[in-house]
Amino acid sequence: MSVTNIEQLSGNSALLAGLSKKEQKAVGRLLTPLEVPQGTVLTREGDLGREVMFIASGTASVERYGMKVATLGPGEFFGELALLTGARRMAMVTADTDMVVAALSRQEFASLLDTSPTIAQKILVDAVRRLHDNAA
């Protein structure tokens, strides 16, 4: 399976749901699809953040300080906190299964936030929620 357009993600993603066709096309042009084998480390805690990833299929484990704190699946995303704040990665994310993800570089992510206020608001709300959950 490969990601060829935003429709494959938007059906599963609360973040991308409700976008107009024009917004879907704009977002779709920014995405870089990646097929990821099981066991691949997608982000390492403490590394610099270079991209945000949206999960099209498969699942991944999120670990902080060596302890599993979450499982992510289709429609979810990760990596936005490091890009929004400029801070280092807060967690390690590892593919539990073969996955298909769509990545956005720092520049593409900034462009997405600029062109879609709806997505920007959803990402910021989710980022604050994650920071709150991490502090608890």
Side-chain angles (χ1 to χ4, degrees), residues 43-49 63 65 82 87-92:
T43 67
R44 289 191 190 281
E45 192 170 359
D47 282 358
L48 292 174
E63 292 183 15
Y65 308 112
R88 294 189 175 269
R89 298 277 191 201
M90 296 175 60
M92 181 165 82

Side-chain angles (χ1 to χ4, degrees), residues 7-126:
E7 287 86 9
Q8 289 178 275
L9 287 173
S10 60
N12 292 327
S13 176
L15 177 69
L16 302 174
L19 295 181
S20 69
K21 291 291 183 188
K22 181 179 176 181
E23 289 173 313
Q24 286 183 6
K25 286 181 182 182
V27 173
R29 284 191 293 271
L30 298 172
L31 297 172
T32 300
L34 303 168
E35 294 186 17
V36 179
Q38 178 181 3
T40 301
V41 175
L42 297 161
T43 67
R44 289 191 190 281
E45 192 170 359
D47 282 358
L48 292 174
R50 293 187 176 90
E51 66 279 315
V52 60
M53 294 185 202
F54 298 88
I55 301 173
S57 67
T59 60
S61 291
V62 180
E63 292 183 15
R64 292 195 73 217
Y65 308 112
M67 297 180 61
K68 184 175 177 177
V69 296
T71 299
L72 302 175
E76 296 184 285
F77 59 96
F78 58 94
E80 79 288 355
L81 290 174
L83 295 186
L84 288 169
T85 65
R88 294 189 175 269
R89 298 277 191 201
M90 296 175 60
M92 181 165 82
V93 178
T94 306
D96 293 332
T97 65
D98 290 344
M99 298 178 71
V100 175
V101 300
L104 291 174
S105 70
R106 181 181 300 278
Q107 291 172 333
E108 292 164 335
F109 184 62
S111 178
L112 173 65
L113 297 180
D114 288 343
T115 60
S116 180
T118 301
I119 290 178
Q121 181 180 13
K122 289 179 181 181
I123 287 174
L124 292 174
V125 167
D126 190 73

